[in-house]
Amino acid sequence: MSAEVIIHRAGPGLTVQDFGRPGYLAFGLSRGGAADRLALAEGAALLGQGEACAAIEMAGTGGEFEVTGDVIIALSGAPMKASVDGERLPWNTTHVLGQGARLSIGGTEAGNYGYLHFAGGVGGRRLLNAEGAHLTAGLGRTLQAGDQIALGDCTAKGEAGMTLDVRPRFSGGTVRVVPSLQTHIFGESETARFEASEFKRDARGNRMGARFLPSGDGFQAASGLSILSEVIVPGDIQVTGDGTPFVLLSECQTTGGYPRIGAVLPADLPIVAQAQPGATLRFKFVELAEAVEIERRERDYRTKLHKAVRPLIRDPAQMHDLLSYQLISGMTAGDDMEREAQ
């Protein structure tokens, strides 16, 4: 029988998330899924399982969790304060969560979205070919204290003590964008100023999108008030009536009438999602051919993530380059220093 996770304490933004529901845009449902899709892939790689396994997404703060059987877990995404029965756990690492032990996860130390993965995945209610919650569409809900969630078959899955060096993306940075169908209506001077400007993440934002405040004046489209509502997708940068850019994220609406000055590449959307209020962002335009190549490399990177997983503590018996560490010379150097001190 599969184990269950019991939620004793839940932050306000806990949801089950996977890679979402592609293919329903024509029916008025955006893809949804994890805000930081790379973090979902990293957790799957740490546990040696497929990306289809759902995890618990924690927005801003986590909660307190208990499992009804021994389970291997992984922690990914925005680093958060995590401990088991008071013992601090390193992030981006796999751990054994023993039956009855209490896993406590506090607030983020950087970024916005952390992820708790279980070997075998989280067994949420499957709706429209996915288990993840899509709150704006009313599919699923936030997790609450007292919830009990079934886990996948955890036998012979995952290995504790494994870690992964992850791509830094939790304090803003430069994100690459491609022109949209409406970039031209802003004019060359406005788009050049947009690319040269520095933006700060506004406190307003959620899984639908994030608002970014420019360092100077807002951006105006020549025909901004005559745009018809049309299809929009995650990554689109809408410019609202006051000239402020708003980057759409996983639970965005499916149509919109604000002009779009560009679209963030999917590879860089985790940087946007993880930017905390006050974090600085810049936008850099790239040609479509370059964007396609960037996305190809990103796909290859994710495919090979499992090869980058390594033990957190190396076993000397498996260190074929042990002599390169000069352990003996270090000891003799220490002896020499001790003799000199005497």
Side-chain angles (χ1 to χ4, degrees):
M1 181 177 178
S2 298
E4 292 186 328
V5 56
I6 304 168
I7 301 177
H8 293 288
R9 176 173 52 83
L14 256 64
T15 55
V16 172
Q17 290 299 338
D18 50 21
F19 275 97
R21 298 173 174 82
Y24 291 95
L25 196 62
F27 300 95
L29 179 66
S30 58
R31 182 196 68 214
D36 183 348
R37 293 159 65 86
L38 179 55
L40 207 62
E42 289 166 347
L46 281 167
L47 290 170
Q49 60 192 20
E51 292 184 353
C53 292
I56 294 178
E57 180 179 274
M58 303 170 287
T61 188
E64 190 169 308
F65 310 88
E66 178 187 351
V67 288
T68 58
D70 293 354
V71 178
I72 306 295
I73 65 168
L75 303 168
S76 74
M80 309 173 87
K81 297 178 180 177
S83 61
V84 171
D85 295 337
E87 182 179 348
R88 185 72 185 264
L89 299 182
W91 208 254
N92 295 314
T93 306
T94 59
H95 309 274
V96 175
L97 184 58
Q99 180 178 354
R102 294 289 185 100
L103 168 65
S104 179
I105 301 180
T108 56
E109 297 176 319
N112 296 314
Y113 295 97
Y115 295 83
L116 170 59
H117 307 254
F118 297 86
V122 178
R125 184 186 178 192
R126 195 165 184 83
L127 297 168
L128 297 178
N129 300 316
E131 294 172 324
H134 193 305
L135 301 179
T136 58
L139 298 174
R141 60 173 176 82
T142 56
L143 301 177
Q144 306 293 325
D147 285 346
Q148 292 190 220
I149 307 171
L151 303 180
D153 181 6
C154 298
T155 59
K157 285 191 175 77
E159 181 180 353
M162 306 304 290
T163 191
L164 180 69
D165 294 326
V166 302
R167 188 179 291 165
R169 57 186 185 277
F170 306 110
S171 56
T174 298
V175 297
R176 294 160 293 189
V177 304
V178 290
S180 80
L181 294 176
Q182 295 151 4
T183 302
H184 67 281
I185 69 174
F186 286 88
E188 291 184 6
S189 61
E190 282 290 83
T191 54
R193 188 167 66 87
F194 176 79
E195 190 172 25
S197 295
E198 186 175 89
F199 298 85
K200 291 204 178 289
R201 168 74 188 260
D202 186 46
R204 285 173 284 183
N206 51 30
R207 286 174 45 82
M208 292 183 66
R211 188 169 183 255
F212 288 89
L213 304 174
S215 53
D217 294 336
F219 302 87
Q220 303 299 326
S223 54
L225 298 179
S226 62
I227 300 296
L228 298 177
S229 289
E230 57 184 6
V231 174
I232 52 177
V233 295
D236 279 344
I237 309 171
Q238 291 185 316
V239 178
T240 56
D242 61 357
T244 304
F246 194 90
V247 182
L248 303 182
L249 295 176
S250 57
E251 283 191 16
C252 67
Q253 65 271 33
T254 56
T255 60
Y258 288 120
R260 293 166 293 167
I261 198 168
V264 176
L265 270 59
D268 288 349
L269 269 180
I271 299 174
V272 177
Q274 295 286 13
Q276 288 184 318
T280 300
L281 228 68
R282 287 183 177 274
F283 298 99
K284 177 185 177 183
F285 281 101
V286 297
E287 297 294 333
L288 182 58
E290 182 181 355
V292 170
E293 177 60 20
I294 290 169
E295 289 301 315
R296 184 195 64 77
R297 293 198 302 267
E298 179 70 11
R299 184 179 63 249
D300 291 345
Y301 171 78
R302 277 181 31 190
T303 301
K304 297 174 182 176
L305 264 177
H306 67 284
K307 295 181 179 179
V309 175
R310 56 178 172 79
L312 180 64
I313 301 175
R314 297 183 66 181
D315 182 354
Q318 299 177 355
M319 294 169 66
H320 304 295
D321 57 345
L322 190 59
L323 291 176
S324 68
Y325 285 80
Q326 301 182 11
L327 301 178
I328 300 300
S329 63
M331 293 175 64
T332 57
D335 291 341
D336 292 341
M337 292 175 64
E338 184 176 354
R339 283 193 293 269
E340 290 177 5
Q342 295 173 348

